[in-house]
Amino acid sequence: MKFHQMTHQTTVKNLSQPDNSEFGELTLSGRAVSRGVSIGTVLCLHGRKRQFYRRPIEGGATDKEIERFREAVEAAKEQLTNISEGTYGGGGDRARIFETHRLFLEDRSLITQIESMVSEQRVNAEWAVKVVIDKYVSRYKSLSDKHLQEKYIDLEDVGERLLSALGGGSQQGYSLNENTIIVATELNPSTLIELSKRNPVAVVTENGGWTSHTFILARELDLPAVTGIKGLLRAVETGDRMIVDGFSGQVVLRPQQDTAERFAAFKAPEDTFNLGEGDAGALETLDGHSITIRANLDITRNYGAAGRLGAKGIGLYRSEFLFNQNRGFPSEEEQVETYSRIASEANAHGIRIRTFDLSIDQIAGGRLNKEKNPALGMRGIRLSMRYEEEFRTQIRALLRASDGNHISIVLPMISDVGEIRWAKYVIEAEKNALREGRLPCGDPEIGVMVEVPAAVLSIERILEESDFINIGTNDLVQYLLAVDRDNEEVADWFRTLHSSVIESLRIVIRAAERAGKPAIVCGEMAGSPLYVPILIALGATELSMNVNSIARIRHLVANIASEECADVLKKIEKLDDGDAKDEQVREIYREKWAHLVDFEHLLSFRRR
Ligand code: PEP
Ligand code: MG
C-alpha cells in the first residue's frame, strides 16, 4: 500500500509512538532516497551481482532444477579453466588460485548438499547454493589456522560465480505477493527493473547513494526508498510486515496494530505543493529568464506524463538499461524499435540517447576478475572502444532510428577529444555503410557527457568537437571529490555544493555559452529544489530531470528571480566546504523560500 502525497505530520516518526518494542516492533533509521510512505511485506533479496530470493519448486520440477544446477556447475568450471589458462587474460600466479576455485566445484560433499537441499526442501538452486555456501563460509571463518580461515573469500567467490552461472538474476515468471517491500544489502538496477514489473511498494537497502542508479530508478518508478540501514538483513526476514517512510528515512519493522492503524489513518491526500500535471507552457523565472525542462528517461515507460508536465523532450536516455544480464546486449532491431518509439513520442523536442554506459563487470557476468575500482575502470566510452562491434551495432540502430526522428547521440565518460574523434569516425563509417546499402539513415547531432574533471579542464577543446554537452553532475561530484556515489559509508562526503563543483559548473556553462553550444544539466542536481537556484545563478538554462521532479521544479522556477539566485550563490560561496555547510545553506533557503521549498522532505541534503 503506497501513500505518496502525505504531509510531514503523517510520517512514521510520529506514528511509532508509543513504544511497542516489547512486542517486537522495531524502528530503524536510514537515509530517505525516494519520497513516499508504504506498508507491506518484506521480500529479502540475496546475492551481489545476481540477485534472487527463496522460491518454492513444485514437487515434480526438482529434477529439472537439479539439472539446471549441474549445468551451472559445468559452466562455472569451464569459466575457471578458461581463466586459469589465460583465455580472459589470466595465467601466471592467478592460475593456481582459480584452479583451487575449480576444485571446490569438484567437491562431491558440497555439490551433494546443494542438490539434496533442492530435492528435499523443494527450493530453487540459487537459494540452496546460498545456504550451503554460507554454512561452509562460517565453518572456514571459525578455523584457527589463519591460512585456511582466509579460504572463505575463495568460497564466497565460487558461490557468486555459481549464482552468475545460474542466471539467478532472472525473476521472470515468478509473481510477488501484493504490497511487497524489497529488502537487500544492495540492489542492482537491473533487478529493480525486473521486479518493478510486479509492482512492489517500497525498497529498503543497507547500501546505496542518492545518485546511485538504483535510487534514480526508484524515484522514476515512484517507489518510496530508504537506504543506509546497517545490519538490516540480520534484523528482517521474508514475510515480515514493514512500514517504510521515504520522507524521514525511518523504517518500522513488525509494526503493531496501533502503529499500522495510525499510519493508515494519517494518510493525507494533499501534498504541501500543487504537484499535479500543470501548465505545460513556457517557463520563466520571475525576472524573465527562460528555463527549459527536459526529462531523464531510464526505462522505456511512455514519455506522455513528462510531456504533459511541460518537459520539452528527453534530455537524457540511459540506453544501458536495455542491457540485460541474462540476455546480454539488445539486438540492432530491438534497439531501432525502442529508440524510434521513444523518439516519436518526444516528437519535435527530440531525445538525447546516451550510448551504453556499462562497466565491464556488468557485461562479463562474473567471468572476469573483479575490478578494484569499477568507477575508474573499463566503462563508458572506454568499454565501447574495447567492444567495438557492440558499439557499431548501437550506432547503426541510432542512425536508423534517427531517420525522421529528432535523435541526438551522447557519449559517456569522455575525458579527451580523441575519444570523441574515434566515436565520430565510427559513426561516419556506419552512416556511409548504411547509405551504400540504401538503408534509411538520419544525421544525428553528437554531444558528450561532461562528468569527468578532465573534461571540465579541457572543455574548450571538447566543445570544438561536440554539437552540445550534457553535464552529468552525479559523476562529476563523485570524481571531483573522490567519493563513490554508490557507497553509503561515504555519503556524507558527497557534497554537491562543494566549491569545486560550483566552480567546475561555472567553467563549463560559461564555455558552452561562449561557444554557442547548448548545455543541459542532467545529473540529479538538476531535479532538486535545493540546487536548481544555484544552477540558475550559474547561468544554466536547460535542466533535465526525473519525471517526478518536474512539477516541483516548475513551481520553484516560476516563483523565484534569477537575481535572488545570484544573491544566494554569493552567500553560499562565502561558506567553508565543511560539515556545517549543508545546514547553513538550508538556513539561507529557509529565509528566502520557505513558502516554496518543502524542506522537511527534501532528499538531496545529507541528513540523519
Ligand atoms: C551523471 O553522471 O550525472 C549522469 C547524468 O549520468 P549517470 O547518473 O547515468 O551516471
Ligand atoms: Mg554519469
Side-chain angles (χ1 to χ4, degrees):
M1 198 190 314
K2 275 198 286 187
F3 297 110
H4 283 288
Q5 299 197 317
M6 304 178 100
T7 60
H8 67 280
Q9 295 95 314
T10 65
T11 59
V12 174
K13 196 170 177 190
N14 306 299
L15 292 165
S16 55
Q17 317 292 337
D19 183 5
N20 274 331
S21 54
E22 62 179 297
F23 304 111
E25 182 175 297
L26 183 64
T27 302
L28 304 165
S29 280
R31 194 183 295 269
V33 279
S34 179
R35 297 159 66 97
V37 183
S38 290
I39 185 165
T41 308
V42 167
L43 175 75
C44 292
L45 286 191
H46 304 273
R48 274 175 280 164
K49 288 280 158 290
R50 304 282 174 159
Q51 298 190 298
F52 59 90
Y53 50 94
R54 187 184 199 278
R55 181 168 51 83
I57 300 287
E58 295 196 352
T62 50
D63 284 351
K64 243 172 100 189
E65 190 65 5
I66 289 174
E67 202 40 54
R68 193 169 74 87
F69 169 66
R70 287 182 183 164
E71 281 167 15
V73 173
E74 288 315 310
K77 278 195 210 161
E78 198 184 316
Q79 287 167 11
L80 288 165
T81 308
N82 285 338
I83 297 174
S84 20
E85 287 174 2
T87 313
Y88 294 113
D93 268 354
R94 271 195 230 159
R96 219 173 3 91
I97 299 168
F98 289 108
E99 190 46 32
T100 318
H101 286 199
R102 224 177 66 84
L103 288 177
F104 278 125
L105 295 174
E106 305 269 350
D107 179 344
R108 269 327 295 163
S109 149
L110 178 97
I111 300 297
T112 311
Q113 283 188 51
I114 295 172
E115 292 185 0
S116 312
M117 188 160 182
V118 171
S119 58
E120 285 159 21
Q121 299 191 18
R122 293 182 186 162
V123 286
N124 49 331
E126 285 87 352
W127 181 256
V129 167
K130 175 201 148 41
V131 173
V132 174
I133 295 278
D134 278 359
K135 202 166 72 186
Y136 270 65
V137 165
S138 7
R139 235 184 257 158
Y140 272 100
K141 277 185 176 167
S142 64
L143 294 174
S144 50
D145 180 326
K146 261 255 159 302
H147 182 67
L148 279 176
Q149 200 190 65
E150 279 167 6
K151 286 260 175 295
Y152 84 88
I153 298 172
D154 295 297
L155 249 170
E156 279 182 344
D157 227 34
V158 170
E160 272 297 315
R161 186 174 299 282
L162 264 180
L163 291 171
S164 278
L166 277 164
S170 178
Q171 322 286 341
Q172 248 155 31
Y174 312 127
S175 59
L176 296 185
N177 291 329
E178 248 183 51
N179 298 326
T180 292
I181 294 176
I182 304 168
V183 171
T185 307
E186 225 167 276
L187 184 63
N188 298 333
S190 56
T191 311
L192 179 58
I193 289 180
E194 226 170 301
L195 289 173
S196 71
K197 294 171 196 147
R198 278 168 281 284
N199 301 321
V201 294
V203 175
V204 186
T205 66
E206 294 188 9
N207 282 318
W210 180 63
T211 59
S212 70
H213 279 163
T214 301
F215 297 119
I216 290 176
L217 278 173
R219 292 193 286 276
E220 186 167 331
L221 290 163
D222 218 1
L223 263 183
V226 170
T227 188
I229 302 187
K230 298 288 161 247
L232 173 69
L233 266 98
R234 284 198 300 277
V236 291
E237 277 179 22
T238 291
D240 280 348
R241 295 287 285 163
M242 187 186 257
I243 297 174
V244 179
D245 183 346
F247 291 117
S248 72
Q250 285 193 313
V251 159
V252 184
L253 254 183
R254 298 177 286 275
Q256 289 301 294
Q257 193 154 347
D258 52 341
T259 305
E261 276 168 9
R262 262 196 306 280
F263 156 78
F266 272 109
K267 153 169 81 100
E270 293 296 325
D271 202 309
T272 318
F273 305 116
N274 173 17
L275 300 182
E277 292 182 3
D279 167 26
L283 180 63
E284 281 184 355
T285 58
L286 290 175
D287 49 353
H289 283 254
S290 157
I291 302 290
T292 302
I293 290 193
R294 305 187 196 276
N296 284 356
L297 210 72
D298 305 315
I299 37 184
T300 47
R301 287 265 173 103
N302 68 29
Y303 162 77
R308 287 194 296 279
L309 286 161
K312 303 282 179 264
I314 295 162
L316 175 68
Y317 176 72
R318 292 176 168 99
S319 72
E320 61 271 17
F321 287 114
L322 296 173
F323 178 88
N324 179 294
Q325 278 178 332
N326 297 305
R327 287 183 285 114
F329 284 96
S331 69
E332 183 173 328
E333 294 311 314
E334 197 181 324
Q335 291 184 61
V336 173
E337 192 276 320
T338 307
Y339 303 150
S340 310
R341 180 162 41 84
I342 318 171
S344 68
E345 283 169 14
N347 215 322
H349 296 305
I351 168 167
R352 292 184 177 184
I353 301 180
R354 183 172 74 188
T355 57
F356 300 130
D357 186 5
L358 291 161
S359 69
I360 198 154
D361 199 31
Q362 280 168 288
I363 68 167
R367 286 194 308 277
L368 299 175
N369 275 344
K370 279 191 214 76
E371 289 184 307
K372 227 178 185 146
N373 295 306
L376 306 181
M378 185 50 76
R379 59 165 288 200
I381 192 74
R382 302 167 192 173
L383 193 80
S384 296
M385 292 170 108
R386 163 85 65 93
Y387 287 75
E388 190 176 324
E389 250 336 287
E390 286 76 6
F391 182 68
R392 282 181 180 268
T393 306
Q394 179 170 38
I395 293 301
R396 274 196 304 280
L398 286 165
L399 290 169
R400 286 173 56 195
S402 58
D403 178 48
N405 285 314
H406 294 267
I407 289 178
S408 316
I409 298 176
V410 191
L411 306 167
M413 289 290 293
I414 293 296
S415 54
D416 78 55
V417 280
E419 294 156 344
I420 313 175
R421 289 194 191 121
W422 173 81
K424 281 165 77 172
Y425 169 80
V426 170
I427 293 168
E428 221 31 56
E430 290 304 327
K431 211 185 278 175
N432 290 336
L434 285 171
R435 284 183 181 147
E436 270 167 31
R438 298 192 185 288
L439 281 165
C441 165
D443 196 13
E445 293 202 320
I446 298 157
V448 304
M449 293 293 298
V450 174
E451 52 187 349
V452 174
V456 173
L457 296 176
S458 49
I459 192 65
E460 312 275 352
R461 283 167 178 229
I462 289 203
L463 281 161
E464 278 171 23
E465 287 291 338
S466 317
D467 295 319
F468 62 87
I469 55 169
N470 270 30
I471 306 174
T473 52
N474 304 335
D475 276 319
L476 190 56
V477 176
Q478 156 166 271
Y479 294 126
L480 273 171
L481 304 181
V483 175
D484 181 350
R485 61 192 264 195
D486 292 334
N487 183 351
E488 163 63 26
E489 293 291 338
V490 290
D492 284 349
W493 281 266
F494 193 94
R495 293 173 176 158
T496 306
L497 291 175
H498 193 281
S499 46
S500 62
V501 177
I502 293 178
E503 193 49 31
S504 298
L505 291 169
R506 180 177 283 127
I507 291 171
V508 172
I509 292 169
R510 283 190 183 162
E513 215 177 83
R514 278 197 303 275
K517 305 261 170 101
I520 299 187
V521 184
C522 65
E524 290 307 281
M525 193 177 180
S528 165
L530 283 163
Y531 305 138
V532 164
I534 308 301
L535 293 172
I536 292 177
L538 290 168
T541 54
E542 299 195 38
L543 308 172
S544 192
M545 66 196 67
N546 198 304
V547 178
N548 289 321
S549 299
I550 296 177
R552 189 173 291 111
I553 297 301
R554 281 189 72 91
H555 175 73
L556 177 69
V557 171
N559 289 289
I560 56 177
S562 65
E563 275 179 17
E564 290 178 280
C565 297
D567 285 348
V568 165
L569 178 58
K570 258 191 216 145
K571 283 189 189 154
I572 290 177
E573 285 200 282
K574 286 195 187 118
L575 303 173
D576 286 346
D577 288 319
D579 262 351
K581 189 167 188 176
D582 282 3
E583 213 22 70
Q584 290 169 321
V585 171
R586 203 182 273 268
E587 223 20 74
I588 296 173
Y589 273 77
R590 270 202 197 99
E591 260 176 40
K592 265 197 156 8
W593 295 314
H595 60 298
L596 295 175
V597 182
D598 180 4
F599 285 103
E600 298 314 314
H601 298 143
L602 276 176
L603 304 180
S604 44
F605 262 72
R606 298 172 289 130
R607 48 194 298 207
R608 276 279 174 211

